[in-house]
Amino acid sequence: MTATDRLPAAPTLSETPFDDGGFVAVWAIAATTYGAGDTLTTLAVVWYSAVVTEANPVVAAVTSTAGVPGLVALKLAAFLCCLALALDAARRADRLGFYLPPATLAVLGALATTLNVLLLSG
């Protein structure tokens, strides 16, 4: 038996009321707004703005001590926690629990990205 034989099967949505296409769509939006948009504009605020400082104390502490890798790790941890919540909800056929984590990330990401761009534009 090899190490790969002992790995659990990749999670699928086949035994849930949710389809893969919807899953990919909601998480792509969350990845775009929260993962890319907020991360990139936060980096711009933190490193390239002389007048604007990071308002979130957790993000400020992480970026001041761990820099870009710390911010990316923080964002990834939040993303993975939300993904785990959504997958657990899918197994329980909980529609709200399935869509709420990526929707929350998407809305927060869009708001934070918009605010950061407005702050950067002066």
Side-chain angles (χ1 to χ4, degrees):
M1 180 185 289
T2 67
T4 55
D5 293 335
R6 293 182 297 222
L7 293 176
T12 66
L13 297 173
S14 62
E15 295 177 11
T16 73
F18 308 104
D19 65 278
D20 291 343
F23 181 81
V24 169
V26 296
W27 283 99
I29 294 167
T32 301
T33 59
Y34 180 80
D38 183 33
T39 302
L40 294 173
T41 58
T42 297
L43 291 172
V45 166
V46 170
W47 274 281
Y48 299 112
S49 176
V51 267
V52 181
T53 59
E54 176 57 50
N56 182 327
V58 174
V59 173
V62 168
T63 55
S64 69
T65 58
V68 175
L71 178 64
V72 171
L74 182 65
K75 295 283 189 178
L76 189 58
F79 198 85
L80 291 176
C81 285
C82 286
L83 181 60
L85 289 171
L87 289 175
D88 179 61
R91 287 185 198 97
R92 294 181 286 108
D94 176 2
R95 188 165 299 282
L96 179 64
F98 180 73
Y99 288 110
L100 189 60
T104 301
L105 287 178
V107 169
L108 290 175
L111 290 173
T113 300
T114 302
L115 178 62
N116 287 342
V117 168
L118 291 172
L119 289 170
L120 287 167
S121 64

